[in-house]
Amino acid sequence: MSVLLASSSSPLRHGRYVPAVLHRAFGGSSTSQKALPFSLRNARESIAEDGKPESRFVRMLMFGKPGAGKGTLSARLVKKYDIMSLSTGDLLRQHIAERTEIGQITEGIVATGGLISDDIMLRVVTSRLELLHNKHWLLDGFPRTLGQGKLLDDHLRQRGTPLSLVVNIDVADEIILGRISDRWVHLPSGRVYNLSYNPPKVAGLDDETGEPLTKRPDDNPEIFARRLEKFYASTSPLLSYFASQAENGTSLVTLKGATSDEIWPQLENILNSAFPSLKERQDHKRRNSLSDAVLARAEADTTTRSVA
């Protein structure tokens, strides 16, 4: 019943230093070692046969290790398709700015660096989701713990709008380590360079200003290992929970690849196959149509000149 949509991952480059703590993290990567269940056929059937129009809508969570490209893929989805991305951080700031009841409760907690309780965070999220009953959406930043995941899942099911898709972006730990080890940044502008695929014209210097490049404080193997351990500790239980909800209409898929460009076609294939009501944004279609028209005109001009 399980289908693993995967592409091969490139190995760790020879000679790269990998500290012992990362070897332990790699060895304990249950997410990367086990396929998570997803059946595209079952996703289509649940959409077509349960008789609920709401089931045709994308109600989606996306998980991924730090540096796996989750943000890049989410942005591409929102740019191309009629999907609304909801950031819990943005929603919380909006409540505070508008002085809502939730905003007044959380403002002091945020100001003092305290932790907002799960039930309040659920209210922050669901207050907006209630307005998107017949819309496609992608939720970013929530849930982060198993308790939050169960609260969200129970709330949505009670309202007849359960999560339809949970995506786990699985990029090998070694590949992410390679990215951060090769990454350099020009701090004043935020321009990022990578020695593997986007090196500066002059080693160690920003292309535009000639100023020195630096490493981000968290771009080192030790800090990455700690972030990875936190990811496994919090996210693995969430993925196991959503895997157990497959028979209740929530599909879980793990997508493997070394880059966002490798994973993107897999993600598009799932959405286009399982959610026939999902449409491309009109402005995206117009841009593509215009590009096609320009290309066709250029080819026609070339053909005419050749004949002449």
Side-chain angles (χ1 to χ4, degrees), residues 101-113:
E101 178 188 357
I102 297 174
Q104 294 179 53
I105 293 173
T106 57
E107 184 174 19
I109 301 174
V110 172
T112 58

Side-chain angles (χ1 to χ4, degrees), residues 3 5 38-49 55-58 60 77 80-81 83 136 164-165 251 253 255 264-280:
V3 176
L5 301 178
F38 177 76
S39 171
L40 199 58
R41 178 181 63 82
N42 288 348
R44 286 198 300 266
E45 287 177 353
S46 67
I47 288 170
E49 296 175 5
S55 65
R56 297 189 179 94
F57 290 93
V58 178
M60 179 178 173
L77 278 179
K80 182 172 182 179
Y81 294 101
I83 297 178
H136 303 288
S164 52
L165 180 63
S251 297
V253 57
L255 304 181
W264 172 248
Q266 304 173 43
L267 183 57
E268 271 202 304
N269 179 58
I270 290 168
L271 290 171
N272 290 330
S273 298
F275 303 97
S277 66
L278 180 62
K279 305 298 182 184
E280 290 187 24

Side-chain angles (χ1 to χ4, degrees), residues 12-28:
L12 185 67
R13 283 189 290 271
H14 293 295
R16 184 177 304 285
Y17 167 71
V18 181
V21 66
L22 276 182
H23 282 298
R24 291 195 297 271
F26 298 156

Side-chain angles (χ1 to χ4, degrees), residues 8 64 67 70 75 87 94 96 113 117 121 123 136 141 179 202 233 245 252 255 258 262 268:
S8 60
K70 179 172 68 73
S87 165
Q94 183 179 355
I96 293 174
S117 64
M121 282 305 304
R123 291 175 62 188
H136 303 288
R179 289 177 188 169
V202 178
Q245 301 303 306
L252 173 65
L255 304 181
E262 285 184 18
E268 271 202 304

